Structures are given as structure tokens and as C-alpha cells.
Amino acid sequence: MKKINVGIVGLGRMGLTHAENIVERIPEAVLVAVCSFVDEELQMAKTKLGVEKAYTSFENMLLDAEIDAVVIASPSGLHGEHIRLAMKKGLHVFCEKPIGVEVEDIERTIEVVEGYPKQIFHLGFMRRYDKSYQYAKQKVDNGEIGDLTLIRCYGIDPASELGNFVQFATNSKSGGLFADMAIHDIDLVRWFSGKEVKRVWAIGKNTAYPELDDLGDLETGASMMQLEDNTMALLVAGRNATHGYHVETELIGTKGMLRIAQEPEKNHVSIFNNQGVVRPTSQHFSERFKEAFFREMKEFILCIQDGKQPGVTVYDGLESTVIANACQESVDTGKMVEISK
Amino acid sequence: MKKINVGIVGLGRMGLTHAENIVERIPEAVLVAVCSFVDEELQMAKTKLGVEKAYTSFENMLLDAEIDAVVIASPSGLHGEHIRLAMKKGLHVFCEKPIGVEVEDIERTIEVVEGYPKQIFHLGFMRRYDKSYQYAKQKVDNGEIGDLTLIRCYGIDPASELGNFVQFATNSKSGGLFADMAIHDIDLVRWFSGKEVKRVWAIGKNTAYPELDDLGDLETGASMMQLEDNTMALLVAGRNATHGYHVETELIGTKGMLRIAQEPEKNHVSIFNNQGVVRPTSQHFSERFKEAFFREMKEFILCIQDGKQPGVTVYDGLESTVIANACQESVDTGKMVEISK
Amino acid sequence: MKKINVGIVGLGRMGLTHAENIVERIPEAVLVAVCSFVDEELQMAKTKLGVEKAYTSFENMLLDAEIDAVVIASPSGLHGEHIRLAMKKGLHVFCEKPIGVEVEDIERTIEVVEGYPKQIFHLGFMRRYDKSYQYAKQKVDNGEIGDLTLIRCYGIDPASELGNFVQFATNSKSGGLFADMAIHDIDLVRWFSGKEVKRVWAIGKNTAYPELDDLGDLETGASMMQLEDNTMALLVAGRNATHGYHVETELIGTKGMLRIAQEPEKNHVSIFNNQGVVRPTSQHFSERFKEAFFREMKEFILCIQDGKQPGVTVYDGLESTVIANACQESVDTGKMVEISK
Amino acid sequence: MKKINVGIVGLGRMGLTHAENIVERIPEAVLVAVCSFVDEELQMAKTKLGVEKAYTSFENMLLDAEIDAVVIASPSGLHGEHIRLAMKKGLHVFCEKPIGVEVEDIERTIEVVEGYPKQIFHLGFMRRYDKSYQYAKQKVDNGEIGDLTLIRCYGIDPASELGNFVQFATNSKSGGLFADMAIHDIDLVRWFSGKEVKRVWAIGKNTAYPELDDLGDLETGASMMQLEDNTMALLVAGRNATHGYHVETELIGTKGMLRIAQEPEKNHVSIFNNQGVVRPTSQHFSERFKEAFFREMKEFILCIQDGKQPGVTVYDGLESTVIANACQESVDTGKMVEISK
């Protein structure tokens, strides 16, 4: 079968992850072009990844490189524009989350995407491609835990990254804790329940890093949500887990409960030492979801070969941003926020 | 040292637990009198527990039996009256939670209790006497997890008891899920943080047992709380845990997290069978907190001998009821509720 | 019912544990006399435990104190003599393990015990009274894991005690690692399987504490055993567990496996910190088996009241010592040892 | 860089695993030829894997297909001949364990392999490529658990496969439980300790499947080993784990213990249901070591590209077979067996 030629824009942490997966583990695709504003990244792409064509302009890459598909890992604020350009150029598109920062921008993107139904559009909610999440989803869909009553999601970044984050957030707009961190969890709530969120209340606290107050951001936040069928959701998002990267999801049903990664185990090793029994933990999203990132990219390529749309749609991108924004509004106003339809 | 003569009122599950602990495991006390409206219970107390004096009237027990202390395990609605009668009679009092159902009733009780500062008054928040909770409390107080940011408490009764509960709640007033179940967790939030609750929003869902709608009660409820220093609390209360009795508490601090009974392990046994690796679970509060019930009763008796008041005060009883009532009000009105001071 | 008057000999760690249980938690018994060669221990028994009669001679205690039963926690070498004296004096006897050090001495003890079938004789294999072990035993007896194929037992003392042990072993005879430590595990092999051991091979290694070579003792030892029905047993005994007190037992059957205390959890708390997820561990036998020590002593007292012999017999004491000695012989000779019947 | 052309012999479970990894996940290699005696397998290789050249003769494949490397997954008895033929033909060789069944055959193979030092020879001890094993190895080599005292290895196949095995073993020679199952664990003992085995005693028991007696094989076996520096090793091998595929390794050192896969967790999901808390388990070696199989094959290809020999040598293949044979001899004779050097 014909190999898929791919171009990528953005070679930061996420872009590099996708680029490496294509080059090292996906024989069905070839990474033929990269685009970045950072010279070192382009250099690295040539020497380490063996990519021949390097661009500093996204539009030039679309015009010049003979690519079938594009992977968008540029800054969030550019996602919308990049998606629309690529779609109009006839390319298949894989876009990192979020699909956009502003709701109107996302709606314009949706319009464009809808105009090219034969081109694959894939949004990078990679957790849906993690084996543990897929295993849990199947159990929920099979009715093994009965009807869903409550979903609890934790998404807490490692404390070791907090310093970097404060610096990063000082220079650019992260979109706030809920848009930046909780958006994956919001997608999970919708994915597992198949229901939309009706109302949210969100609160937060800055203790270890009061400088986040000045940035209008949060060290740790919590949100309680009521879904349209009264299913409950509790979300905790944060940036200060001393034990590493804590992504945990719980599904409480009328016939049982499931927990995914109740302890973020790094591997199968247990250490018995003077601390007690220690289970080492994942330290970063790239470690915890390494396999999921590979699987979603493989899925994208296979969808192109098979002419099938993947399960994550452009509408999932819109809804999760709407809800994340509502959480932020609730923190800002101190009030409960209704999600209008 | 002189043995403490104890009378007990109420020989339901809780009363029996206390009675057995006194008779079988506390040499410093003697159970000399019991009071109940149920004939079988009085009979059982005589034959099985060897108690000689049995009463059907609480006041008669106070007048007739030569007791130093009374254990109150009567229906919640009678707690206030029983406490006040015993206090005025000069007795030391151990009272099962809650201290009362109505706030005014509790305030009247407090007034009486304050009038007898030399008599021991002990409220049955037994979790404070559980070794795991005490171990965690010490770590929090030592600053081992830094400043508290978020507290999560689960208190879910076993599904196997739900049928009984529906019948019980049909006949009498349980006070609702939050007053009946979450009150222990509310006490834990206050105990661990040392802070008062400022605002709550509570929601719930009845799916497995819609008949609870008619009773105005909930199968599962969730509450998010903001404390006076912005510490966050998430509570889940329920009556439908298929795996048993699920009481779990999590303390997220700026330097680490603690979880108490993340899995409600029954004992030290793991079973490797065709299900996978199975850890059997506690099936009932009397199983999980067996040792804590013993330790709190021992503490009560030793406090009497030593003339020292225990750590759980009459005010803890008031506050936890106020907050539980606010949760219920939030469920009823669909609004956030401010706790006034 | 009449309270049982108890005298105790030996107030070291084990003796004190038994004494405290009787005084603090067993209303059916009264500790009326203690015997020790150590003045401070006798003093402590008077002031802290409120025991009135204190002796430096075991025989004097038997003659003078009006006791129904005696608890023997003297040095192992004296157990046989103390049992025989007490039995002949008409007393019920609880004896700490082992029943004796030399096989002939044990056989003489057995003869005496057999002569007083109405007096209770109870040997302190307390693990049989631990709830986890009892839970596992019931599952095995119910056939839930099919036929037993292999039993694995670990009994490893905390490294923190090793310095003390070296000093202790320099001054007196511990009997060696297998007699001192593995004897509980040998009893478990026999208890769970209901079979006798046919052949053993035992080896060991001293690395952290080569000074144990001079003492003829072992830091860590392993023994493989073949039972009369070919069931296999693997035992690891040691004195150098950095994580605490590691007693673990595994039962592999044709239909499943059971593990008791695969991790020696101290309590229900999990700590999430910069080490990973840490489960604190039991640090000492008195911590791990606190409840079992209470339950075996309660059982002893209730057996006296009810006139029933407990499950652990004098013959269990003999067999476990015979097997422990065979392990030691195997280490000494480097050969496999057949256990003759 | 030039892509490596690979031919594979044997398309049973292991051969297929390797073939799929090359085709689906290793862009640096191309699977150009397959060899099998089974028509369906060759057909499947063409249609599903897209391999063009299919052979029924290994020698013909070597002569005709233009390959750089060969993967040997034929029946164990043919490994030696296939390795020697391929080596002499100038090809790089990856061979599934074992390197051979008879020691003399292996020694002849070693001679040939030694004659072609520039050709890569890689033996399929895939556990060394598992992330958990590599993580543990690093900790041991860093001295984090001090000096190794005891190694415990469990390798137990799922009961669900036992029926198949009995049929398979009836028709062909498995080499016995130790050569067939324990050989990976024997390699681990040597790899972790860096020491050779001095003496072994092995025993076994057939209970669930007495028909294995007729086959001279074992349902469950245990072996105790003494290494040249007195380090101890305990191995349990079996074919009857009802909970799935149980491969567990424990390393006891003077400063701590490590356990790899103490519970063979399938993924990150925990299920709370009426059994208790259930952790689902790996059901098969192809599930547990899926990633390790990929990583070892990737390593083989990268070693060819880089001209570097991998860590697993032909001598590791010899030693592990010698020790497995000694275990079998011990079972057959009932005696301890010394491993001569």
C-alpha cells in the first residue's frame, strides 16, 4: 500500500514525540517535511530524524512539500488557522489539543472541516488510545459496572515542572489550568458518559506558588459538574504532584467501580527499602502515554489508508473547550456556571 | 483503680458493638445496666453479655442503676434529650453520632454540657481513633505533606445493605445521605484541616434505586466545599458500593499526598484466581472500624479514670451537623449554600 | 463466670506482651503473679501493670501464688522444665515457642503433658490466630484453591534489630536461624498442608554481617522441602529486611494462589511523595501480630473456662523443632537431610 | 540508511510475533521472505503481512532470497542446524531460545558462531529487553539494594493453556518443565547476579494433571540453587496459573529488595466489584512481553546497522541449557546435582 507522506508543524515536546513515532515506529508513513520557527529544531530534524525538507513558513510547506497529511503541533493559538489552511489544501490533518482557544475561532474551523468530509481530521485526545482507558471504556459500554453515577478525574502535572510552567505562563497565555490541563479530563467525562455537562462550579488554591495569583492561574483546582442526566463529575487539576505525573480516572457505576491508574505506576517494579514498599511512578505525560501517542498516530495513518474517520471529532474539541472555559469563568466569578446549549 | 460502672441505652448494631467491647475487652469498666425498647435485646444482654439490670425506660435506668457513665446509642432523634438527662444526673456521657438532628436541639444540649465541665462528654467520631487515621493526622500535623490543598472523602455503604436501608428510611427519618453518611467525612475535613467550611454545593443521583426519590433521599451524592482558607474538599457519599464498605480519605498537600484506605482491604490476603489478583474488602463499618470502636470506648473509660476530656467535643458535633444540613439544602434547592457564622 | 488467675514467668518482650494483654484487654483473667530474674521487670510489673505478687523463683510462684494458669515466656532452654513443673502442680499452661530446644527434652515434656489431659496446654504459634492466616486457612480447607502444590514462607526480621541480635547471639544460644526464626513458618507448612516434611535442603549466606560466620549463624537462609505427598515448600528466613518485619506466606494450589501479607502493610495509609507511592510497613513482630497475640491469649483463657483444648498441640511443637534442626544440619553438612519417622 | 532485508523461519506463535513486529513497527527492516512447513502460515504471510517470497525449505530461502538477516523461530531441535547454516551463508542471526536441546549440539553451534565474529548473533532472551527488568538491573548494578543474597523467580504459564500443552507434549519433546519454562529464569539468575550456578536440587508435583507423569513432565516444579558465591536462587516453574501468565522475579539484597511483577498486572485498571478489588492480569507471554519482543527485534536490527553485538551471547544460551538439564536430572534422580565447570 502507498506510504503516507507527512509534514509536521511544531517540533516542541509534542511535535517531536509525533515526529519520532512516525520515523521510528510507523513503516506506513514517511516524515518528509518539518516546519518550525526554531532553527535548532529544524537542524535536529535533519540530522536526527533524517527529514530532508525543512520550512520556517507553514504555508510554504503546504505549497512546496509533496505531502498527504499534516501533523499540527504548533502553539495552541495557531491551531485553527493551520487546520483551515491544510484542509483547504486538500490534506489530512492531525491536530494536537486544543482545537483552538476561542470558541468563535473553533466554530470557523468546524465549518471548514465540515466542507471536506473525505479528508481525515483527527484531534489528539490520546488518552482514548491508551490501552487501560480502552479496556475501561469497553467494560463501561458492556454494562459491567451498570449505569454511570459519578466520574472522578485527576490530572496533576509533576511538581518538578512547575518552575518551568511559571516561566512559560509568564511569557505566554496558557489558557488557565482548566483549558490547559483539565481539557483531557473533560473529554474523558464526555467520552465515558456519552452525556453533556449542564452546570459547573470550580474553585482553586495557590499555596506553594502564590506567584500564580499574579498570572491569574492556579496551582490546584477542583471542579464539580452536573451532567444532563444528573451524572456527577469531580475534576481535580493541578501542577504540583511531588510524586510525578498523576492522571487517574474513576468510574462509579451502579454495579461496580473502575479506577484507571489509581497509582501512576512507572513499571512492574516494587522496591522494598527503608521507606516501606515503594512503587515508582511515571514522571511525565510523555512517559505515561508513550504507547498511546504511538497508537493514535498509527490510527491516523491507517485511517488515511482506509479512508475512515477516527472516533475523536472536531465537535469533541469544541465541547471540551466550552466546558473548560466555563470552569475558568466559575473560578473568576465565584459563581456556578450553566453551560448553555 | 476503681472500675467504671456503665449503663447503655440502645442495643442496635452500634449499641451492641459498644456493649460487647465493654464486656469482652475493657477490664477497667463493667456493664451493669442496659436500656432498650426491644425485649429480645434486653434478653440477649442478660444471657450473652451477663448484664443484670435491664430497663425499658432511660430515666428509670438513671434513677435506679448505680452507674458512673452512660453510653447513648438510642435513635438519633433522642440523643439530645438523653445527653441532657444524663449530664444533669451527674454522669459521664458517651454519645453516638450525631449529637442531634436539629440545630436548636444541639444548641440546647451544648448549653447543658457546658454546665458540667467536670463530667466527661465524648462524641462517637470513631474514625479519629482508627490507627490509619491517627497515623495520617500525625503526618499532616508534622508538615510531611506541606500545606493542605484538597481533601477528598468517600463514604459509601455496601450495596448489600441498601435494601435494608430503603425499608428503614421508609419507616423513620434518616436525616438524608449527608447527615446520615457524610457526617463522619465532614468531621474529618474539619479535623484534618483545622478550618471551617465556607460554602458548599451538593448534588446527587438515584439510578439503581429510584424509590429513594420518593423518600427524598439519595443513592449517591457528591459535595464540593470551599473552606475559609480556600482549601478544597470533595465528598462522595453513597449507599451502593458493590465491593463492600468503602471509606477512603485523601489529603493533598503542597509536598505530597496521603490516602487512607484507597482500597478497603479486609485483611492481608491477596487471592490469585481466574478473576485476576483479588484483594478482599471490608464488608461493613463494624468490620472496618472494629478496632477504632474499641479504642474510642477504652479512651472514654480512661478519660473518666484520669479526669480528662477527650479530643472530640460537643462543638464538633454541632458544626458537622450544620454542614451536613447545608449539603442537604443545596441538593434540595439546586443552589450553592453559604455557611453563616 | 469465675475469673482465671494467671501467673507469668519471663517479662522480656514476649512476656510483657502477654502480661499487658491480660491486664488491659482480657476481663476474664487477672494477672496475679509475675516471676523474673530481672529486678526492673518486677518493679515495672507492680507499678505499671498493678500486679501484686512478684517472684524471682518459678517454683516459689507455683507454691505461693493462688493461680489457675501459668504463661511461660522464660528463655527457651527453660521451657521444658517450666512446663513440666506447672503441669504437675495442676496448672493450665501457655508456653511461648519453642516447646524446647533438644528433642529428648521435648519428648519428656510431651510425656508429662499427656499425663494431665484435663489441663489446657497451649503453644504460642500465634500466627494461627491472625485473622489473615485464619481467612486463608478457611479458603484452603474449603478447597477454594484446589489441592496444595507449593507453600512459600518468608520470615525476615528487620535489619534495625540485627545489631541487637548479633550481641544477643554472642552471649547466648539462639538455636540458629531456622530454630529461632523459621519455626513459625515450619508450623505454617504443616498447618496448611496437614502433611509432614520428608526431606530438606537448606543453604545460607552472610554478606552484610560476616561476623555471623563466627557465631555459626546466618543472615539469610533458604530451605526447600519435600512433603510426604510431594507438596513443595520454600522457606526464606533472615534477619536483614531493611523495610521492616517481613512475614509472608504463599499457598499455590491447583485452582488458585493465596498470598498473606505479600507486602507487610503497616496500616491503610499510602503516601504519594517524591519516592513514588509508598506503603509504610510493619517494623516488628509485636506490631504485625499485636492482635494475634491478644487473640491467642483470649483463646487460652476461654479454653480454660470452657474446658477445651486449643488447636495447637504439644506435638506441633515437637515436629517443628525436628524440622528446624534438620535444616540446620543441612546447612552444617551441605547435604540433603531426610526426616526419619 | 540501508534497510535490512529479513527472512524468517517458523511462523508459529513466536515466529508470527517477530514477523508482525518487523512489518508493522520497524521501519528500518523489511520482511522479504518466510519459511514454514505449514501451508496456511505461508498463505497468511503473503496476504496479511505482504511478504512476497515463501519457502518450505530453509536452505532454499538462504540460497534464493536476497536477505541480510534471518530470524529463527523453528522447532527447538532445529535451532542449531539453522543457526549454523545461516552463519555460514554470511547472514546475521536472531534465534529464539533455546539455542539447542543437546549440549554437544550447542557446542558445535558455538564453534561456528565464533568463526563469524562480524555477523550479529542474537539470542531471544527477551526479558532482558523488558523495561521493568532493565529498570531493576540498573538498580542492582548501581548498588541500590546492596549485595545480592537471594533471587526468586516464578515462571508459570496460564492454566488455560495446559490442555494444549499436554497435547503438544504428547506429540513432541518439550524438553521438560525446566528446559521449556525455567530457562528464561535461569538466564535471569545469571544476568542479575553475574555468577554461575554451583549446585541444584529440583522437585515437582503433578496433581491437577497426573497424565503429565506419563509424559515425564511436571505441572509445577521448584528448584533451589546455590551460586558460586553462595548467593541463593529459588525457582518455581509451572503450567497451571489460573490467574494467567505469572512471571515474577525477586532480588533480595543486603540493603533492600526488588520485585518485578509481583502481581502480573494487565494494565492500569482496578475493578471494585462484588469480588473485592480486582486487578486484571496478563494472560499470555505475548501480552506481558509484547513491548520486549518489539524492543529486542529493534535492537537486533539496529545492531546490524551499527555493527555491534547485542548483550545476550551464545554462551548465555549454553549455560542456561546446562543448568536446566541439571534441574531435570535432579528431578529424575531425586538427588542434588553439582554443575561441573
Side-chain angles (χ1 to χ4, degrees), chain B residues 11-232:
Chain B
L11 285 168
R13 193 129 51 178
M14 279 315 313
L16 187 56
T17 296
H18 294 311
E20 286 175 346
N21 275 326
I22 294 167
V23 171
E24 295 168 12
R25 295 174 79 182
I26 303 184
E28 299 89 346
V30 185
L31 185 64
V32 295
V34 292
C35 171
S36 167
F37 311 114
V38 185
D39 255 11
E40 291 79 25
E41 292 178 1
L42 294 176
Q43 213 49 47
M44 178 276 301
K46 284 190 177 176
T47 54
K48 283 221 172 155
L49 299 175
V51 182
E52 292 188 13
K53 300 196 167 179
Y55 300 87
T56 52
S57 147
F58 183 66
E59 288 179 278
N60 285 351
M61 180 168 80
L62 297 196
L63 284 168
D64 182 65
E66 290 175 8
I67 54 180
D68 307 304
V70 71
V71 171
I72 298 173
S74 48
S76 301
L78 300 174
H79 286 184
E81 190 193 326
H82 285 168
I83 295 169
R84 296 189 295 265
L85 280 169
M87 273 283 160
K88 288 174 182 163
K89 190 81 176 58
L91 301 179
H92 305 289
V93 172
F94 177 97
C95 181
E96 253 314 300
K97 67 94 199 167
I99 197 169
V101 178
E102 311 288 341
V103 169
E104 300 90 67
D105 181 70
I106 298 174
E107 287 173 341
R108 257 191 302 145
T109 301
I110 289 182
E111 237 175 274
V112 173
V113 170
E114 286 176 338
Y116 301 90
K118 292 203 174 156
Q119 288 164 233
I120 306 302
F121 177 80
H122 195 166
L123 188 59
F125 281 138
M126 83 291 186
R127 292 195 198 165
R128 298 197 189 189
Y129 293 90
D130 175 70
K131 285 194 179 177
S132 297
Y133 279 98
Q134 292 185 331
Y135 182 86
K137 182 67 159 75
Q138 198 169 30
K139 289 208 171 292
V140 170
D141 291 351
N142 289 349
E144 291 183 40
I145 61 164
D147 292 317
L148 272 183
T149 302
L150 189 146
I151 303 171
R152 174 173 62 88
C153 299
Y154 278 24
I156 314 179
D157 258 1
S160 57
E161 300 276 319
L162 217 162
N164 287 341
F165 172 76
V166 172
Q167 204 163 11
F168 163 76
T170 308
N171 300 327
S172 67
K173 245 188 97 166
S174 82
L177 183 65
F178 292 98
D180 190 38
M181 288 289 301
I183 199 159
H184 283 294
D185 289 316
I186 292 168
D187 182 58
L188 290 179
V189 168
R190 296 180 62 253
W191 187 51
F192 276 113
S193 69
K195 301 289 172 190
E196 296 300 339
V197 173
K198 201 164 61 177
R199 315 159 79 197
V200 305
W201 180 34
I203 51 180
K205 188 178 178 188
N206 293 339
T207 304
Y209 286 76
E211 55 263 54
L212 287 168
D213 285 335
D214 302 330
L215 296 168
D217 213 328
L218 291 169
E219 180 187 322
T220 307
S223 173
M224 186 159 83
M225 302 180 177
Q226 192 173 36
L227 275 59
E228 50 184 336
D229 67 342
N230 289 338
T231 297
M232 300 167 270

Side-chain angles (χ1 to χ4, degrees), chain A residues 117-338:
Chain A
K118 293 205 174 154
Q119 290 164 232
I120 306 303
F121 178 81
H122 194 166
L123 187 61
F125 281 139
M126 83 291 183
R127 292 194 198 165
R128 298 198 189 187
Y129 292 90
D130 176 71
K131 284 194 178 176
S132 296
Y133 279 97
Q134 292 185 329
Y135 181 86
K137 182 67 161 74
Q138 199 170 31
K139 289 209 172 289
V140 170
D141 292 350
N142 288 350
E144 291 184 40
I145 60 165
D147 293 318
L148 273 182
T149 301
L150 189 146
I151 302 172
R152 173 173 63 88
C153 299
Y154 278 24
I156 314 178
D157 257 0
S160 56
E161 301 276 318
L162 217 162
N164 287 340
F165 172 77
V166 172
Q167 204 164 14
F168 163 77
T170 308
N171 300 324
S172 68
K173 248 189 94 167
S174 82
L177 183 65
F178 292 98
D180 190 39
M181 288 290 302
I183 197 160
H184 283 293
D185 288 317
I186 292 168
D187 182 58
L188 290 179
V189 167
R190 295 180 61 253
W191 186 50
F192 275 113
S193 69
K195 301 290 174 191
E196 297 300 339
V197 174
K198 201 163 61 176
R199 316 158 81 198
V200 305
W201 180 34
I203 50 179
K205 188 178 179 190
N206 293 339
T207 304
Y209 286 76
E211 54 263 55
L212 288 168
D213 286 334
D214 301 330
L215 297 168
D217 213 328
L218 291 170
E219 180 187 322
T220 307
S223 173
M224 186 159 84
M225 302 179 176
Q226 191 174 37
L227 275 58
E228 50 184 335
D229 68 341
N230 288 338
T231 298
M232 299 167 271
L234 297 172
L235 268 66
V236 174
R239 309 190 187 278
N240 191 25
T242 51
H243 60 286
Y245 177 66
H246 191 110
V247 167
E248 175 185 5
T249 305
E250 179 178 43
L251 302 150
I252 302 186
T254 51
K255 292 184 183 161
M257 288 165 46
L258 296 179
R259 282 192 183 168
I260 304 155
Q262 137 173 285
E263 298 181 355
E265 297 134 351
K266 187 187 200 70
N267 51 34
H268 287 279
V269 179
S270 303
I271 305 169
F272 294 62
N273 63 18
N274 59 6
Q275 304 287 312
V277 182
V278 183
R279 197 71 194 256
T281 39
S282 286
Q283 290 305 305
H284 200 268
F285 70 81
S286 58
E287 179 181 6
R288 168 63 181 88
F289 289 111
K290 184 179 169 55
E291 189 73 9
F293 284 123
F294 161 67
R295 285 159 57 95
E296 72 168 359
M297 192 50 65
K298 187 96 174 190
E299 169 86 353
F300 175 56
I301 299 299
L302 296 182
C303 278
I304 295 173
Q305 288 190 335
D306 298 350
K308 287 194 312 192
Q309 289 290 346
V312 197
T313 73
V314 75
Y315 309 104
D316 294 321
L318 174 63
E319 287 305 325
S320 50
T321 297
V322 166
I323 298 164
N325 290 351
C327 290
Q328 189 60 46
E329 185 189 333
S330 178
V331 169
D332 293 341
T333 63
K335 303 223 164 102
M336 215 182 290
V337 175
E338 309 279 331

